[in-house]
Amino acid sequence: MNGWLVAALVLLAGGLLPALWLGATGPAVRRLIGLQLAVVVLVPELILLSMAFGQSSYLIVPVVLVAASFAGTLVYTRLLKAGG
Amino acid sequence: MSVLTAVLVALGILVVIGCAVRAAAARDDLVRLHMLAPVTALGVPLLGLGVAITASWTWTTGTVVLIVVLLAVTGPPLTGAIANMIAATEQEDR
Amino acid sequence: MTILVCAVLVLVAVTGTVVVTTRDPKAQAVTLSVYGLVLALLFFALQAPDVALSQIAVGSALVPLMVLLAVRTVGKGVGKGRDAK
C-alpha cells in the first residue's frame, strides 16, 4: 500500500461516486454531463493507478480514453439532439 | 514521493473531488456543466505537475504532459457541444 | 490492492443494475457508456491495460453510435407503421 494507491482510492470514493450518480439518474442530457464528468475524473484516477503499479507503459490507457471519449461525446451530442 | 509531489497531488485531488461533489449537488444542468472546466484546467494539471516532478525527464513525464494537454484542449469544445444540446432541448420543451 | 479491486467490483455491479433498470433507451445508452468506463477501470485495476484499452475503444466510441442509430431506426419504423394504419 503506497501513497499513490491511497490517493487513487480517495479519488475513487470522492470523485467517481458523484460522477456515477450523475450518470445514472435523470434524463439523457443530465446523464451525458455525468458521463463527461466520469471521464474527466477517470483520467487522473488512471494516472495515479499506473504510478501505484510503477508501470509507466500503462499511461497509454488514459491517452486513448481522452481521445475516444472526445469522439464518443460528440456522437452523443449529435444523435441525441437530432433524435429530439 | 517527495513532499512537493504529495502536496501537488493532494491539491489536484481536492479540486477534482470538490468539483465532482458540487456538480452532483447543483440543481441546474448548466451549473453542473460549469464544474467540468476547473477539473480539466486546474485539477488534472496540478496532479500532472506533481507526477512530472517525481518522474523528472522520463517517458512518464512526457505521456502525462500529453494527457494533460489533450484533456485541456478537448474540454472546452465538448462543454460547448453539450451546452448547445441543452439549449436545443430546452427550446423543444417550450 | 484488494480493497481497490473489491470497491471497483461493487461499482461494476451497481452500475450494471442501474443500466438494466433504466427504461428510456436514450438515457440507457448514456448509462451504458458510464458502465463501460467502470468496466475499463476494473480491467485496469486487475493490471490488464490491454483489455482496458479495447474496452475503452469499443465502449466509448462504437457502442454509443450503434445503439443510438438502432434506437433512431426503430423509432422511425414505429412511426411509419402508425401512418400506414
Side-chain angles (χ1 to χ4, degrees):
Chain A
M1 183 74 99
N2 55 23
W4 297 109
L5 194 59
V6 173
L9 280 172
V10 171
L11 189 61
L12 183 76
L16 200 58
L17 281 184
L20 290 186
W21 182 78
L22 211 53
T25 50
V29 177
R30 189 169 307 155
R31 290 180 194 227
L32 188 58
I33 300 177
L35 174 68
Q36 192 56 35
L37 191 64
V39 168
V40 159
V41 173
L42 207 61
V43 167
E45 173 81 20
L46 292 181
I47 295 178
L48 287 175
L49 277 182
S50 47
M51 294 306 284
F53 295 144
Q55 301 268 0
S56 65
S57 59
Y58 287 12
L59 281 171
I60 193 68
V61 179
V63 176
V64 173
L65 173 62
V66 173
S69 77
F70 182 66
T73 308
L74 283 184
V75 165
Y76 272 126
T77 53
R78 224 12 214 272
L79 289 182
L80 285 179
K81 187 161 64 179
Chain B
M1 208 195 305
S2 69
V3 178
L4 185 60
T5 302
V7 169
L8 283 173
V9 169
L11 274 179
I13 289 179
L14 274 182
V15 170
V16 174
I17 290 179
C19 288
V21 170
R22 278 169 73 186
R27 287 169 181 271
D28 187 30
D29 280 346
L30 285 175
V31 177
R32 293 172 206 264
L33 207 54
H34 275 299
M35 284 300 115
L36 286 175
V39 177
T40 55
L42 188 64
V44 181
L46 275 176
L47 194 141
L49 190 61
V51 174
I53 287 174
T54 297
S56 71
W57 296 104
T58 54
W59 279 109
T60 310
T61 304
T63 321
V64 168
V65 168
L66 176 67
I67 294 169
V68 169
V69 169
L70 265 182
L71 201 62
V73 167
T74 56
L78 286 183
T79 309
I82 298 178
N84 273 337
M85 201 185 78
I86 293 176
T89 319
E90 278 177 354
Q91 269 186 344
E92 271 176 21
D93 288 347
R94 280 170 206 159
Chain C
M1 205 61 70
T2 319
I3 309 171
L4 178 77
V5 173
C6 288
V8 180
L9 273 173
V10 170
L11 282 184
V12 169
V14 171
T15 323
T17 312
V18 171
V19 174
V20 174
T21 52
T22 305
R23 303 308 301 174
D24 178 27
K26 279 179 184 169
Q28 200 174 21
V30 183
T31 311
L32 183 63
S33 270
V34 177
Y35 174 66
L37 287 180
V38 181
L39 211 53
L41 178 60
L42 174 69
F43 295 144
F44 198 89
L46 291 171
Q47 305 206 33
D50 44 352
V51 187
L53 218 51
S54 331
Q55 168 61 38
I56 286 170
V58 173
S60 66
L62 284 179
V63 166
L65 192 65
M66 288 170 64
V67 169
L68 284 181
L69 284 180
V71 167
R72 226 172 157 188
T73 313
V74 170
K76 272 182 191 166
V78 169
K80 274 180 192 168
R82 277 180 193 156
D83 289 344
K85 282 174 191 172

